[in-house]
Amino acid sequence: MTVDHDALFSAWKVVTELADGLLDPIDTPERHAAAFKLEEVTWAAQRARLELSSLLRLLTENIQNYEAVAFPQPVRSPGQVLASLMTVMDLSPLHSHSPPASALRSWTAW
């Protein structure tokens, strides 16, 4: 494959200018918001122009990289996730403590 470096540079320069530098790594909340808007526009446009899917992937990757640093998610065990969900949904375990002895006596053995 032969690559025309000048043509490649010219095309990249035009894309970078149109994207207002949002193809570079994101480092501020303002650039994050702008990249997110460009991602939405690109998402809508790529339905008609599949060639934009590579631009969409680049934007999405930059956004995800920024969000991983700006909004880190704590590592939790499955039990912690379940407990958190139960708290958010205002659920409590059916038996948060041992049943009273009278309840145990009323159960019949199979």
Side-chain angles (χ1 to χ4, degrees):
M1 176 171 108
T2 304
V3 176
D4 181 344
H5 295 120
D6 291 333
L8 182 61
F9 172 76
S10 295
W12 186 252
K13 184 177 178 184
V14 168
V15 169
T16 302
E17 288 171 1
L18 287 172
D20 192 27
L22 294 175
L23 302 179
D24 296 327
I26 300 166
D27 56 0
T28 66
E30 295 78 19
R31 294 193 59 71
H32 175 253
F36 197 77
K37 287 179 185 176
L38 181 58
E39 181 190 40
E40 289 176 342
V41 170
T42 305
W43 174 261
Q46 69 112 17
R47 291 185 207 150
R49 298 293 211 154
L50 295 178
E51 298 87 358
L52 291 173
S53 62
S54 58
L55 173 59
L56 182 62
R57 278 194 306 274
L58 179 61
L59 285 167
T60 301
E61 184 177 318
N62 282 348
I63 290 168
Q64 289 174 342
N65 289 341
Y66 172 80
E67 289 176 349
V69 172
F71 312 111
Q73 298 297 312
V75 177
R76 296 184 176 176
S77 70
Q80 290 171 318
V81 172
L82 181 59
S84 178
L85 288 172
M86 291 177 72
T87 300
V88 169
M89 297 177 72
D90 197 27
L91 299 174
S92 61
L94 293 176
H95 296 85
S96 58
H97 59 283
S98 300
S102 59
L104 292 174
R105 284 192 295 273
S106 67
W107 292 354
T108 58
W110 291 91

